[in-house]
Amino acid sequence: MDQNDQFPQQPPPGYQPPPPGFQPPPPGYQPPPPGFQPPPPGFQPPPPGYQPPPPGFQPPPPGFQPPPPGFQPPPPGFQPPPPGFQPPPPGFQPPPPPYSQNGAPIGGLNENAKIRGPVACILLSLVTCGIYFLYWTWVTNKQINDLLGRDEVSSGMLILGWFCFPVTWYNWYKWDKSMIEISQRANIIYSANFILWIILTVVGGIGNLFMIFQLQEALNDVYKR
């Protein structure tokens, strides 16, 4: 019998026997690196598929509340309200568009919205042999379409009316009808004048001068409100 079998080796000095229930590490076990700190009590390992945060990640500040379900982030270029901003009270209604009545607002004003003297428009039309009259019909048509919010008389119909008299009368009729609608929205007084313009044109050839005066005066009343 071998001597080592008769007398087993003695453990080295300071040897502590393993505690009861000790399980030896599995094959291939690597000891933790120097400075390893065991996880605190109650530590839960991350769930399967966990991705660590990217470099430079900053945890949310204390008291952070996650957004509610269905939250939509602000669009690009969003500017937060200035300090001291107070949101409108519940039930707040924005002011109506200008010149509104009975829920029918008049269209917006732009560079075409200009007050002109009716008499001056007539005189300029006579002095320039009708050239200013063509300009006046162009800008007036723009004004009426802007106030209506739609093209009641298109630019093509207007230009065609410069060369075709029946089309001119048709445009007069549309302008007169449009001014009735605009006057009702703006709460000003305006009556239909198309028949008068035709009669004065046939009888004395001055229907266009009355048309200039009455349309321009009505547009001025709208812009002065």
Side-chain angles (χ1 to χ4, degrees):
M1 179 179 295
D2 191 90
Q3 187 175 1
N4 292 334
D5 294 337
Q6 296 179 0
F7 303 101
Q9 292 183 352
Q10 296 294 324
Y15 170 78
Q16 296 290 333
F22 171 76
Q23 295 291 332
Y29 170 77
Q30 295 291 332
F36 171 78
Q37 296 291 331
F43 171 77
Q44 296 291 333
Y50 169 78
Q51 295 291 332
F57 171 78
Q58 296 291 332
F64 171 77
Q65 295 292 331
F71 170 77
Q72 295 291 333
F78 171 78
Q79 295 292 331
F85 171 77
Q86 295 292 331
F92 170 78
Q93 295 291 333
Y99 316 133
S100 63
Q101 184 185 27
N102 299 327
I106 290 180
L109 307 180
N110 54 27
E111 67 276 2
N112 297 319
K114 182 178 180 181
I115 295 177
R116 298 177 175 87
V119 177
C121 292
I122 293 173
L123 293 177
L124 287 172
S125 298
L126 295 174
V127 170
T128 59
C129 299
I131 296 177
Y132 181 83
F133 174 74
L134 299 180
Y135 166 77
W136 179 88
T137 57
W138 181 268
V139 295
T140 298
N141 187 58
K142 287 286 188 180
Q143 287 178 315
I144 292 176
N145 289 341
D146 290 342
L147 291 173
L148 288 174
R150 64 179 186 272
D151 285 345
E152 190 68 19
V153 176
S154 65
S155 299
M157 286 294 293
L158 176 64
I159 296 175
L160 182 62
W162 293 347
F163 304 97
C164 182
F165 212 76
V167 178
T168 298
W169 285 2
Y170 173 77
N171 293 340
W172 289 6
Y173 167 75
K174 298 293 284 185
W175 289 341
D176 190 49
K177 182 181 177 182
S178 299
M179 281 308 307
I180 293 174
E181 180 180 345
I182 293 171
S183 64
Q184 291 174 350
R185 298 184 189 180
N187 196 23
I188 64 173
I189 298 175
Y190 179 86
S191 58
N193 297 298
F194 173 69
I195 300 300
L196 175 64
W197 300 339
I198 298 298
I199 294 174
L200 293 175
T201 300
V202 174
V203 174
I206 57 174
N208 59 335
L209 303 182
F210 273 79
M211 185 267 298
I212 293 175
F213 185 89
Q214 292 174 325
L215 279 185
Q216 189 62 62
E217 189 175 45
L219 287 172
N220 291 345
D221 289 342
V222 172
Y223 293 141
K224 288 177 182 177
R225 292 183 62 81

